[in-house]
Amino acid sequence: MFKIDDCVMYGMTGACKVIDITNEKFINGEDRKYYVLRPIYSDNIIIKAPVDNQNIPMRKTISKNNATSLVNNIPNMDISWIEDDKTRNKKFNAILKSGKCEELIKLVRSIHFNKEQVKSIGKKTHQVDDNVMKEAERLLNEEFAVALNISPDEVIPYITSHIPQQNI
């Protein structure tokens, strides 16, 4: 169970802070406990998520040590590409929904690598892949920003300054 002031990753919403834990009473007399979440990088939004919710993944944000370890390991992460558009899209969306940092990094690297290859032969990437990459980058930037105590805009410069450019 999370506590008030914990920073969590909540599904595709991204980084949120637990600002309260409340009990809601329903007309049928049922009591249900909720986390009250405020997205860290979005204004004027409050989310109530049932404590026992199994549909939307919610987990504590990674620690600073985990973030730096992941950054240091980026050059060693696999890059793979799925040629079939439907299969690739299904796999990429599953990775996005899982919200696992290492998998999101691999996804971004794979799309980036493919983008460079396609660009070198004068073609463009699929818009769907570009959109998935942007969403994965947003989730990663938010989580790494919380872990490293920097702004989301500083995450990419942080990563590039800690890895030799040819290894990204």
Side-chain angles (χ1 to χ4, degrees):
M1 184 147 161
F2 303 109
K3 300 182 299 273
I4 293 174
D5 290 333
D6 279 351
C7 290
V8 298
M9 291 301 289
Y10 180 67
M12 298 293 288
T13 302
C16 295
K17 188 170 205 162
V18 178
I19 58 172
D20 200 4
I21 301 170
T22 64
N23 280 313
E24 299 283 326
K25 244 193 190 355
F26 292 90
I27 295 172
N28 65 2
E30 182 187 346
D31 243 359
R32 198 160 182 197
K33 198 173 255 189
Y34 285 84
Y35 293 115
V36 181
L37 308 173
R38 183 178 39 83
I40 296 171
Y41 302 105
S42 300
D43 292 333
N44 304 324
I45 299 173
I46 298 292
I47 299 167
K48 283 189 175 180
V51 169
D52 60 357
N53 179 27
Q54 299 298 315
N55 297 327
I56 300 175
M58 187 161 75
R59 62 174 173 77
K60 204 166 180 136
T61 54
I62 60 172
S63 68
K64 183 176 183 172
N65 284 343
N66 284 349
T68 55
S69 176
L70 280 168
V71 168
N72 292 334
N73 195 37
I74 286 174
N76 304 320
M77 291 183 189
D78 293 335
I79 299 174
S80 61
W81 189 253
I82 301 167
E83 289 298 329
D84 180 67
D85 294 345
K86 284 183 182 180
T87 306
R88 182 176 66 252
N89 192 28
K90 189 175 180 180
K91 174 77 171 169
F92 283 177
N93 281 316
I95 291 170
L96 276 178
K97 286 179 182 163
S98 80
K100 294 178 182 168
C101 287
E102 187 170 345
E103 295 303 311
L104 289 170
I105 292 168
K106 289 176 187 178
L107 181 147
V108 169
R109 289 189 75 218
S110 295
I111 294 173
H112 179 73
F113 184 75
N114 181 66
K115 202 174 197 169
E116 293 300 313
Q117 283 187 319
V118 168
K119 188 177 170 184
S120 72
I121 58 171
K123 292 186 175 183
K124 289 186 178 183
T125 56
H126 295 300
Q127 185 65 44
V128 173
D129 294 333
D130 288 340
N131 292 343
V132 166
M133 186 165 95
K134 284 179 189 162
E135 190 61 18
E137 286 175 334
R138 181 188 67 78
L139 291 170
L140 285 166
N141 288 348
E142 286 188 13
E143 185 158 13
F144 275 67
V146 170
L148 300 169
N149 199 26
I150 59 178
S151 79
D153 294 338
E154 295 174 287
V155 172
I156 298 295
Y158 174 89
I159 290 171
T160 54
S161 72
H162 286 78
I163 298 175
Q165 197 59 30
Q166 69 273 15
N167 289 332
I168 297 177

